[in-house]
Amino acid sequence: DPLLMRRAFELALAAGNEQLAYTMADRLAVGDGYEPTVSLVLATRAVKQRNWKAFEAQGTALAEAGYGGFALPIMQAWVLHERGRHARALELLAQPSSDPFAASYMTEHRGHLLAADRKWADAATAFGQLLSGNTGQNPRLRVALARALQGDNRRAEAKRILDTGDRDPLLDRATEALLAGQPIEAGPQTAADGIAALYTRMSADLSRERATPIALVLARLATMLAPESADAKLATAAVLARGGQYEPAI
């Protein structure tokens, strides 16, 4: 029964039942015209398994999703980077976007890719662009910028970035590392970690006012890609709590 399969798929994702979600996605993918969420799940599994051919097969369906205009190029860039095509990955995220929201995502992940390549000065420029406006209080971006500045031997600037604005445990940990002469914790290095970070931010942005089904799907997929990520777990818990599901959130 297609309706029962669809409902099982939705519930499996909401509950974080990874294997059942994959099983239902495979069954729902039989035939043409299946929904973007099914493609998103199949693409996520392909990244986790490093099955790049299977990932590419989901490109058309993902491009048609409402978020596909900016999310798909970021996902493709991380896959290209993992496959050793670093220059092409950066090119993909260098294309200008007229949508400031999409542009901020693409600039952030361009910065992460540059940092993964140890191109610290360019990474610092990318992160600095994002922190020049109202996002200056974002602790993760401040840590990312400080890491890039540290890598570029600009420790005083890195310290100033970490000291400015509201405090956060992330900033405290980064400051301790900087003062001890140790590298600040690195950002995403792999396609799985990079795409998990993408999903996590998308989930947070989509659920600021209220819990939405796609926000929970994205958060759950982030935990599937990066099971050890505290960010992904916190994002999932936040969406569940906003929906009144306190026990699952805990």
Side-chain angles (χ1 to χ4, degrees):
D1 184 322
L3 292 177
L4 286 177
M5 283 197 294
R6 178 71 201 183
R7 187 62 178 145
F9 173 67
E10 293 169 349
L11 288 171
L13 281 175
N17 187 327
E18 185 172 0
Q19 291 309 313
L20 182 56
Y22 292 155
T23 299
M24 290 296 101
D26 284 331
R27 294 182 69 178
L28 289 166
V30 175
D32 298 326
Y34 51 91
E35 295 182 34
T37 304
V38 174
S39 283
L40 189 64
V41 171
L42 295 176
T44 298
R45 180 178 62 184
V47 170
K48 187 169 183 175
Q49 296 176 344
R50 304 182 83 250
N51 184 341
W52 309 129
K53 186 175 181 180
F55 171 80
E56 291 168 359
Q58 303 306 320
T60 301
L62 286 176
E64 295 173 355
Y67 47 77
F70 70 90
L72 181 58
I74 293 171
M75 295 169 71
Q76 291 172 328
W78 277 109
V79 168
L80 285 167
H81 187 270
E82 184 137 330
R83 298 176 74 178
R85 300 175 62 187
H86 295 196
R88 177 59 185 139
L90 291 170
E91 279 177 25
L92 206 57
L93 299 187
Q95 300 171 9
S97 173
S98 58
D99 180 356
F101 184 74
S104 73
Y105 271 86
M106 296 178 81
T107 301
E108 177 184 346
H109 283 269
R110 180 174 170 80
H112 287 314
L113 287 170
L114 287 163
D117 286 344
R118 305 179 70 82
K119 296 180 178 179
W120 301 119
D122 291 338
T125 298
F127 292 130
Q129 290 173 357
L130 294 172
L131 286 166
S132 62
N134 294 329
T135 56
Q137 293 302 319
N138 186 315
R140 294 216 163 274
L141 283 179
R142 286 164 64 191
V143 169
L145 175 56
R147 175 71 182 102
L149 291 168
Q150 180 191 40
D152 199 36
N153 295 314
R154 295 151 67 184
R155 292 181 71 254
E157 290 180 63
K159 180 71 163 51
R160 186 168 64 251
I161 289 294
L162 294 172
D163 288 344
T164 304
D166 296 339
R167 299 312 302 162
D168 184 278
L170 287 171
L171 301 170
D172 295 338
R173 191 162 67 242
T175 300
E176 289 174 7
L178 182 67
L179 293 177
Q182 300 296 320
I184 294 172
E185 186 176 333
Q189 304 290 305
T190 66
D193 287 341
I195 294 171
L198 168 67
Y199 290 166
T200 300
R201 182 184 163 189
M202 288 173 67
S203 175
D205 286 343
L206 289 168
S207 62
R208 290 197 188 284
E209 301 298 327
R210 59 185 178 85
T212 60
I214 188 60
L216 181 55
V217 166
L218 288 163
R220 287 296 197 187
L221 291 176
T223 64
M224 293 176 191
L225 269 180
E228 301 304 315
S229 169
D231 285 346
K233 291 175 183 177
L234 288 168
T236 306
V239 179
L240 288 167
R242 286 192 187 99
Q245 299 184 64
Y246 302 116
E247 286 302 319
I250 291 167

